[in-house]
């Protein structure tokens, strides 16, 4: 018989970072019943595999699943391979482009590999909602859809807005929340987790369970994690994400770039540190007993260790300290070799660059391969997406070569040579060959 912690202790741990519980009194009742009977709660969170990899914003829900798992309850990681082909309309002003079955399957395998960096693979149930949704007959689907009205679906903000603006609403989008809700009927879970943006879909599940004569599951929603900018939600499209498959050094550096205020949010949503300990750390910082930098380093180590190892986290911290606190070059910096001809200054470049470099004798160097275009160099070594992007980074004073700020587009050197190029947190050693 499982030995569950006291109910009050469980509730405090499960409420950490949560946005809303519908309803908390019901969750307490289920936890008390679980403790008396020795039966773990069944807890589910669904993920549509619509992208090939995850960022730490996705792991907020996975970590809450882990909290239930830590307490001895059964967690189900549900992969929405069927609903993923429909496309969740939540927050969308237009219909999502459909994914193929091959894309869904490939992404699903990636998700399975990534989530077990947080969840215990031996204690986690992995399921796919195609197992039941793809087996529904046309008659079954009609009976399921008959439990709701079009007006109910149009109450959703996304649909209502698109309807008012006379933008298309595809029929398959209307059935998405019903399909997700049917997952709850099949799984018969005690608790379902979701982001705050999923509340309507989760409520459909509760309603469907009641209509099928089942006890309604408790809904626990988690907030959407802010990205490293502290403003927008974390997203690849905003460029403010921390990918869990990124190198340890990159993850560590991105965590260290967040503000001190956002650090507490990350402690709350991305770690297992209990609320009382986080509050104690805040008090210590306010009283001057602890420095925010030390706590942020500890946070960065925790997050790197979650996806790699303690050794990788320690190495990332040492490299970050060398690079940003001691202004040294880390030992494991990537070295790339390129031909100087790819980045050399040509005649047309020279005419356009004289004002930038401020060199009165630059015209004498036309054809000299030892003058290079820094914007082209950044593009070739992967520290800029294009020459234009490289020029923008130079203008923003984000580029250093051999530790010196690079204010111009042109750099003079002798070949062959090895230089260190730094753009923001990213750094590479470059061998320029004749």
């Amino acid at each position: 018989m499982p030995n569950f912690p006291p109910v009050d202790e469980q509730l405090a741990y499960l409420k950490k970072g949560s946005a809303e519980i519908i309803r908390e009194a019901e969750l307490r009742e289920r936890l008390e019943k679980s403790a008396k009977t020795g039966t773990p709660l069944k807890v589910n969170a669904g993920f549509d595999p619509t992208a090939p990899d995850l960022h730490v914003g996705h792991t907020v829900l996975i970590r809450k699943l882990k909290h239930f798992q830590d307490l001895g309850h059964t967690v189900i990681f549900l992969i929405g391979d069927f609903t993923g082909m429909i496309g969740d309309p939540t927050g969308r002003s237009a219909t999502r482009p459909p994914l193929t079955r091959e894309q869904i399957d490939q992404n699903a395998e990636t998700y399975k590999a990534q989530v077990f960096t947080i969840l215990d693979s031996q204690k986690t149930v992995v399921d796919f909602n195609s197992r039941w949704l793809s087996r529904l007959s046309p008659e079954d689907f009609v009976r399921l859809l008959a439990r709701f009205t079009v007006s109910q679906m149009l109450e959703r903000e996304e649909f209502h807005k698109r309807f008012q603006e006379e933008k298309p609403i595809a029929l398959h989008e209307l059935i998405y929340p019903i399909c997700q809700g049917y997952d709850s009927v099949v799984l018969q879970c005690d608790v379902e987790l979701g982001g705050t943006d999923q509340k309507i879909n989760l409520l459909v599940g509760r309603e469907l369970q009641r209509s099928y004569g089942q006890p309604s599951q408790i809904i626990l929603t988690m907030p959407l994690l802010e990205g490293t900018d502290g403003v927008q939600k974390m997203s690849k499209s905003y460029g403010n994400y921390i990918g869990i498959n990124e190198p340890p050094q990159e993850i560590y550096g991105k965590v260290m770039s967040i503000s001190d205020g956002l650090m507490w949010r990350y402690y709350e949503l991305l770690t297992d540190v209990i609320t009382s300990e986080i509050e104690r750390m805040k008090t210590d910082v306010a009283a001057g007993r602890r420095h925010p930098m030390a706590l942020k380093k500890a946070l960065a180590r925790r997050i790197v260790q979650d996806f790699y190892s303690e050794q990788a986290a320690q190495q990332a911290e040492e490299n970050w300290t060398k690079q940003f606190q001691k202004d040294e070059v880390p030992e494991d910096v990537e070295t790339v070799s390129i031909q100087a001809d790819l980045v050399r200054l040509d005649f047309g470049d020279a005419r356009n660059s004289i004002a930038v470099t401020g060199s009165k004798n630059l015209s004498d160097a036309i054809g000299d391969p030892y003058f290079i275009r820094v914007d082209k160099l950044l593009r070739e070594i992967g520290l800029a997406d294009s020459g234009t992007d490289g020029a923008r980074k130079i203008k923003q004073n984000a580029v250093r070569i051999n530790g010196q700020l690079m204010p111009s587009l042109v750099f003079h050197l002798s070949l062959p040579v090895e230089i260190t190029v730094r753009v923001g947190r990213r750094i590479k050693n470059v061998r320029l060959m004749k």
Side-chain angles (χ1 to χ4, degrees), residues 323 327-329 383 398-400 420-424 426-427:
Q323 186 174 345
D327 202 29
E328 299 177 5
V329 178
L383 292 182
V399 180
R400 290 180 178 271
T420 300
V421 183
R422 178 180 295 172
V423 179
R426 302 175 66 190
I427 186 170

Side-chain angles (χ1 to χ4, degrees), residues 35-36 185 210 213 218 259 264 282 286 304 356 360 363 377 433:
K36 289 177 182 178
V185 173
R210 283 193 295 269
I218 290 93
S259 68
W264 304 121
K282 287 182 181 179
V304 172
V356 178
K360 296 180 180 179
S363 58
L377 176 66
M433 319 293 289

Side-chain angles (χ1 to χ4, degrees), residues 151-166:
S151 60
Q152 282 178 291
M153 295 298 104
L154 290 179
E155 288 175 1
R156 292 187 62 140
E157 181 181 353
E158 298 90 353
F159 291 155
H160 180 73
K161 185 176 181 181
R162 282 156 67 177
F163 184 77
Q164 293 295 321
E165 295 175 353
E166 298 185 357

Side-chain angles (χ1 to χ4, degrees), residues 104-286:
I104 290 288
D105 290 345
Q106 184 176 2
N107 293 346
E109 288 301 313
T110 304
Y111 277 28
K112 284 168 62 178
Q114 292 175 347
V115 298
F116 292 134
T117 57
I118 295 177
L119 296 175
D120 185 334
S121 61
Q122 301 301 313
K123 299 178 181 179
T124 303
V125 178
V126 177
D127 214 334
F128 297 80
N129 63 7
S130 63
R131 187 168 64 85
W132 48 86
L133 288 172
S134 63
R135 294 177 183 176
L136 290 176
S137 68
E139 181 181 347
D140 294 331
F141 250 116
V142 169
R143 293 185 183 279
L144 175 61
L145 298 178
R147 297 173 187 271
F148 296 89
T149 67
V150 173
S151 60
Q152 282 178 291
M153 295 298 104
L154 290 179
E155 288 175 1
R156 292 187 62 140
E157 181 181 353
E158 298 90 353
F159 291 155
H160 180 73
K161 185 176 181 181
R162 282 156 67 177
F163 184 77
Q164 293 295 321
E165 295 175 353
E166 298 185 357
K167 291 182 178 179
I169 303 173
L171 284 174
H172 72 283
E173 293 183 281
L174 293 174
I175 70 171
Y176 181 93
I178 302 174
C179 290
Q180 181 177 326
Y182 189 69
D183 295 343
S184 304
V185 173
V186 174
L187 295 173
Q188 298 187 43
C189 285
D190 296 287
V191 184
E192 183 170 10
L193 311 182
T196 49
D197 59 340
Q198 290 289 312
K199 181 177 177 179
I200 293 179
N201 293 344
L202 300 173
L203 287 172
V204 169
R206 272 177 67 93
E207 186 172 340
L208 268 179
Q209 285 179 309
R210 283 193 295 269
S211 70
Y212 277 87
Q214 299 177 6
S216 296
Q217 64 190 9
I218 290 93
I219 293 172
L220 190 155
T221 61
M222 297 296 292
L224 303 180
L225 182 70
E226 296 87 347
T228 53
D229 58 1
V231 179
Q232 303 275 11
K233 73 173 184 178
M234 185 171 288
S235 171
K236 282 193 172 183
S237 61
Y238 295 139
N240 63 358
Y241 70 99
I242 304 174
I244 69 174
N245 274 342
E246 291 188 270
Q249 191 66 51
E250 192 72 11
I251 294 175
Y252 189 96
K254 286 185 176 183
V255 175
M256 293 303 297
S257 74
I258 66 175
S259 68
D260 292 349
L262 189 59
M263 171 179 69
W264 304 121
R265 181 76 155 170
Y266 278 34
Y267 259 113
E268 184 178 49
L269 298 178
L270 298 179
T271 77
D272 299 329
V273 180
I274 60 176
T275 303
S276 59
E277 177 58 27
I278 296 174
E279 292 303 317
R280 189 177 301 116
M281 288 190 291
K282 287 182 181 179
T283 301
D284 288 346
V285 168

Side-chain angles (χ1 to χ4, degrees), residues 362 365 368-372 374 401 406 408 410-414 419:
L362 185 60
D368 187 340
Y370 307 141
F371 280 89
I372 65 169
V374 181
I401 294 181
M406 182 51 50
S408 72
V410 179
F411 185 68
H412 182 235
L413 42 71
S414 299
I419 58 176

